[in-house]
Amino acid sequence: MNVLYNCNSGTFGISNQVHQKFEKDCFLKETNSYYLATCGFFLNSEECLTNYHTDSPEQLIIHLALSREVIPTIVKGIYAIAFYQKDTREVYVYNDLLSKHSLYYYFDSTSGTLLVSDSFFETLQMVKEHGLSYTIDPLGVKMMLKHRMFYDNLTYIKEIKFLRPFEYLIARRDGLELQTIKRGEMLARAEDDFATADDEDDFLD
């Protein structure tokens, strides 16, 4: 999945490329009011469909996105989601709570350009295609050579970061915000789930 957004002009574009054959919950939808793309798979679709009274995973994600729900706190799985609200020019970018589906992003505050991809090299390719500046990060290169993985949110390029667990992005006309899901929110939701389960058990008894 590749995303291009410009905070200044409101320009938005997206392509939804499936890199792995097992990815089943992949769809791309555009209406007069929004643009939505997902790739990956959801593990608790049936439960969420029942809880939110929707008929398909696509309708579920559309409902959650339009309701401004923090999707990773609700939907389990390995996935990436990009949602663009046309009237407000807001972009929401999520991946699963533990970031098992990697998402890389580049933001240039001068031009207001945001690039997002689930491939580091495709992110870098988009940076080059749009003539944006970038610098090699020696520490990122060293960490990859030594540990065979990116450390923290360092990559080969200083300006390209990746979403870490419990993080998501919101892009608006005034710039980019990196949001962090608080552990307390997750605990509160889990407690609500347990309470609901207890109520159902009491009813059945």
Side-chain angles (χ1 to χ4, degrees):
M1 182 172 71
N2 296 337
V3 176
L4 164 66
Y5 173 67
N6 188 282
C7 297
N8 299 329
S9 65
T11 302
F12 180 83
I14 193 166
S15 66
N16 204 20
Q17 301 176 0
V18 179
H19 296 292
Q20 298 173 333
K21 293 182 180 179
F22 64 79
E23 295 185 341
K24 65 182 184 69
D25 292 308
C26 300
F27 43 83
L28 184 63
K29 185 177 181 65
E30 181 180 13
T31 70
N32 292 330
S33 58
Y34 65 82
Y35 216 141
L36 175 72
T38 75
C39 58
F41 60 91
F42 309 136
L43 294 177
N44 61 335
S45 294
E46 295 302 321
E47 175 188 346
C48 290
L49 293 179
T50 300
N51 292 342
Y52 290 90
H53 309 290
T54 49
D55 298 324
S56 68
E58 181 176 342
Q59 290 182 11
L60 170 68
I61 299 303
I62 291 170
H63 170 75
L64 295 177
L66 290 173
S67 303
R68 295 296 188 270
E69 294 279 4
V70 181
I71 295 174
T73 66
I74 299 170
V75 180
K76 300 175 184 177
I78 300 177
Y79 58 82
I81 297 172
F83 177 75
Y84 175 57
Q85 185 77 42
K86 292 183 178 181
D87 57 350
T88 60
R89 293 185 179 180
E90 294 178 335
V91 176
Y92 293 78
V93 178
Y94 306 99
N95 59 359
D96 54 274
L97 196 64
L98 298 180
S99 292
K100 293 180 181 178
H101 189 125
S102 300
L103 275 183
Y104 299 88
Y105 64 95
Y106 172 103
F107 182 68
D108 179 59
S109 58
T110 302
S111 64
T113 301
L114 170 66
L115 304 173
V116 181
S117 177
D118 47 13
S119 164
F120 168 81
F121 293 103
E122 288 187 20
T123 308
L124 180 57
Q125 183 61 32
M126 289 193 293
V127 170
K128 294 178 179 179
E129 289 175 353
H130 290 85
L132 298 168
S133 63
Y134 63 93
T135 50
I136 302 294
D137 189 339
L139 180 57
V141 173
K142 179 180 179 181
M143 296 305 295
M144 174 56 76
L145 292 175
K146 183 177 180 179
H147 301 289
R148 298 289 187 264
M149 62 181 294
F150 289 133
Y151 174 75
D152 195 20
N153 67 345
L154 298 176
T155 69
Y156 298 128
I157 304 300
K158 288 183 178 181
E159 295 82 3
I160 297 179
K161 306 296 183 182
F162 62 87
L163 285 181
R164 294 170 292 189
F166 293 87
E167 292 182 342
Y168 64 98
L169 298 175
I170 302 177
R172 299 188 175 95
R173 299 180 188 183
D174 56 352
L176 180 69
E177 298 176 14
L178 178 64
Q179 300 285 336
T180 302
I181 299 169
K182 295 180 174 59
R183 272 49 169 193
E185 295 176 14
M186 295 301 300
L187 290 173
R189 186 175 293 275
E191 289 174 355
D192 289 341
D193 290 342
F194 281 126
T196 301
D198 289 341
D199 291 340
E200 291 175 351
D201 290 340
D202 292 340
F203 176 77
L204 292 174
D205 292 339

